[in-house]
Every structure is written in structure tokens, then in C-alpha cells.
Amino acid sequence: MEKVKIGIIGCGMISEIYIKNTKETFQNLDVIAVADINLDSAKARAEQFGIPKAYSPEELLADDEIEMVINLTIPTAHAPICLQALEAGKHVFVEKPLAVTREDGKKILELAKSKGLYVGSAPDTFLGGGLQTCRKLIDDGWIGEPIAASAFMMGSGPESFHPNPDFFYVEGGGPMFDMGPYYLTALINLIGPIKRVTGSARATYPERTIKSGPRAGEKVPVEIPTHISGVFEFENGAIGSITTSFDVWGSQLPRIEIYGTTGTLIVPDPNTFGGPIYVKRQGEGQWTEIPLTHSFKENSRGIGAADMANAIRTGRANRASGELAFHVLDIMHAFIDAAEKGQHIEISSGCGRPEALPMNQPTDFLA
């Protein structure tokens, strides 16, 4: 199958693993250009990986050879770059979240549909060996019918390690918009879409202190909630709860648990691609660790883009789709809306569960 020619916009920290995986794992992606508003960053990434073209974003979008753009910019730039790429006739795969606002997310999907182009979005960790194994366990009835789920992302904030954490504390950031997509996408993949939510939220500290890099000691103002708890209902009747926080100094809570009529499933960290996975079934006294049944157990960021490239060539739907990403965006906003209004919010968007990956596929199945 002919490779899809890729241009990457945004040459920050996460671009390295994306490009590395296109070279070593996903044989259907051909990165022919990189771009950044800081041209020196683009040139450095191009030199590091032997990529022939280092551009400004505008130059990359004008290159007719590029079929698909992978958008790795900061959240506030996600929608503008996606819309520009679609206007230029290019398919788009974007880092999470799809956009900062619902309105921009809708514009992306509507423009893509009008032009017959694909949109995909991270997170794609749900396509990893860990979460795909969990999906198979649920689909095969290991814990019966799912009746509830709980999810926790508890930490003290990215300023402890990120040299420029400002964007985490403005609109489009915070623990829900930064990490919530991993958890909500995993839950939708495992159980299905969500129909109603409520929630509470707060911002505990008015500012944060950068702990590393040349700006260490500098204060960053906090403009968004940093501790959000939500309760939600899946379309199939299961009930879920989620807490995401940048205000917690320590926690031993599990990442995700799924509770079924005949057992409980402990799901691995949805920000990873591997395990471990544990099951405790009705009548059993001990937890059983379940070996992974699926491939992509290491850091496989970019698998969603590779799956989308295959979909472009074959005409099928892509798994880490724009519709899935918009449903997650809609839900995250609904938690904040519910907290502000003190009521349940009905979710108007929807999506299907992404098609599961087959067991133990070789990594070249996307080629």
C-alpha cells in the first residue's frame, strides 16, 4: 500500500516520539516535512531524523505533496491549524483535545465533511495492547454486563517538570482538558458513549511556581479549574465517576476500574499502551493478572495517525476519529458547565464505540 505523505506542525517535546514511531513502527507514514513557528526547532527536528523539509507552518500547508498534517501544537492552536490544513485540502490528525471550544470542534468536523477529508485526534492510547485487551475482556463477557466505572487522575501539576507550563493553566488546559481525554476516550472505547453528566470544580491555588528550566521560580497565574469531579451516565445505562486534579500531593487510587454484574476489571493507566490488567470475578478470592492479548504494548503514539492513513487508502472509518474526539470535548465542557450551573447536562453529541483491533496483529498491519 502506498505510504501517506505526512507533514508535522509543532516540533516540541511530543513530536520526537511521533516521528520516531513513523520511522520504526508505522510503515504507512512518510514524514517528508516538519514545521514550527520557531524555524530553528523545525530545522533541528528535521536534522535529527533526516527529514528533507523544514518549514514555517504556512510553507508546510502550501506544499501540495503533503497529504496529511499531524498537528502537535499547543491546544489554543489546534483548531486554527486544523482548519487551515483542511482548507488546504489535507487530512488532519491532531493532538488532544480536538479544539478548545465546542464551536471550533464543530467547525473542524463540518469543514472536513464538506471537503471529503479525514479528521483524527489523540489520544490513541486506547489502541494499545493494554486497553485493547481490556476491550476484549469486556466484549467476551469476563465481568458480565458493565454497570459502573470509576476513574482517577490525581497529581500536583505539570509545573514540577515542564519548563513552560503556562498553557496548562489557561482555557483548554487544566487536568480535565489535559488528561481527561485519555480517561474518557478509554471509557467510551470500553463501555460506549455518554449521555448525561454533572460535576463540581474548583481552582485551589491562584498561581503556580515553575520548578524547572530557565524560568524556575517564575509564577504562572491559574485561570481555570484544577480539581474537577464528575458523575456521568453511559447510553447503555452504566454509571461512571471521574476525578481529575492538579491539586493532590499523593494518591494510591487506581486509574480506572470497571464494575460488572459478575466481576471487576482494573484497567491500566490510559496514558500508556501496556498493562498491567487485573480481574476479580464473582466467587474468586484473589485478583488475577491478565496477560496482554494485543500488540502495541510500548509507547506507540501515532498509531491513531497510522490507522487513519490506512483508512484514507482503503476508504473505511478511522478509529481515533474526529467524532470520538468531539464527543470527549463536549463531555469535558459539560462537567464545567454542570459545576457552574449546579445541574445535569445532557450530551447532544454522540459517537459509536471504535472498532476493536484484532488480537496480536503484527505492527505492519497498518502498512
Side-chain angles (χ1 to χ4, degrees), residues 86-283:
L86 291 167
E87 288 286 5
K90 303 181 190 307
H91 308 282
V92 175
F93 186 88
V94 60
E95 251 301 324
K96 49 78 187 168
L98 174 67
V100 170
T101 68
R102 290 184 179 102
E103 292 72 24
D104 281 344
K106 288 178 182 177
K107 288 178 183 177
I108 292 169
L109 297 188
E110 289 169 358
L111 181 58
K113 183 177 181 180
S114 72
K115 289 183 168 290
L117 295 168
Y118 279 79
V119 172
S121 179
D124 53 10
T125 47
F126 76 94
L127 297 174
L131 289 171
Q132 286 295 307
T133 299
C134 291
R135 168 72 179 263
K136 180 169 176 54
L137 289 169
I138 290 174
D139 289 353
D140 288 352
W142 276 57
I143 61 168
E145 177 189 352
I147 58 173
S150 61
F152 300 93
M153 195 296 297
M154 315 290 273
S156 59
E159 68 275 10
S160 61
F161 62 87
H162 201 291
N164 296 293
D166 311 64
F167 69 92
F168 289 103
Y169 294 105
V170 298
E171 187 180 15
M176 180 57 73
F177 283 81
D178 179 45
M179 297 301 294
Y182 294 104
Y183 290 76
L184 293 169
T185 302
L187 288 166
I188 292 165
N189 172 59
L190 295 174
I191 299 177
I194 291 167
K195 68 177 182 179
R196 189 169 80 143
V197 313
T198 191
S200 297
R202 60 174 286 166
T204 300
Y205 308 105
E207 60 185 17
R208 300 290 181 124
T209 303
I210 300 174
K211 301 292 177 60
S212 63
R215 298 174 61 199
E218 185 179 331
K219 304 288 186 181
V220 174
V222 175
E223 301 177 9
I224 41 78
T226 51
H227 188 102
I228 302 99
S229 291
V231 176
F232 50 97
E233 298 171 32
F234 293 90
E235 286 187 1
N236 68 358
I239 297 171
S241 61
I242 184 170
T243 298
T244 65
S245 183
F246 284 165
D247 297 347
V248 173
W249 296 105
S251 172
Q252 293 185 341
L253 290 167
R255 299 294 197 272
I256 296 176
E257 291 185 347
I258 310 293
Y259 313 107
T261 52
T262 60
T264 295
L265 171 65
I266 296 180
V267 179
D269 184 345
N271 191 20
T272 66
F273 289 82
I277 298 166
Y278 297 95
V279 168
K280 187 175 182 181
R281 303 172 79 179
Q282 184 177 17

Side-chain angles (χ1 to χ4, degrees), residues 22 26-27 36 39-40 46 50 61 103 136-137 176-177 186 195 204 227 229 237 286 301 311 321-322 337 342 349 364:
T22 67
F26 306 123
Q27 301 169 23
D36 198 278
L39 188 55
D40 288 339
L61 293 174
E103 292 72 24
K136 180 169 176 54
L137 289 169
M176 180 57 73
F177 283 81
K195 68 177 182 179
T204 300
H227 188 102
S229 291
Q286 303 292 326
R301 276 178 168 77
S321 68
D337 294 344
S349 64
D364 64 357

Side-chain angles (χ1 to χ4, degrees), residues 42-64:
K43 289 179 178 178
R45 231 9 136 222
E47 182 178 355
Q48 179 184 0
F49 287 102
I51 298 167
K53 303 173 184 178
Y55 283 146
S56 69
E58 294 76 17
E59 289 171 331
L60 187 146
L61 293 174
D63 187 333
D64 291 335

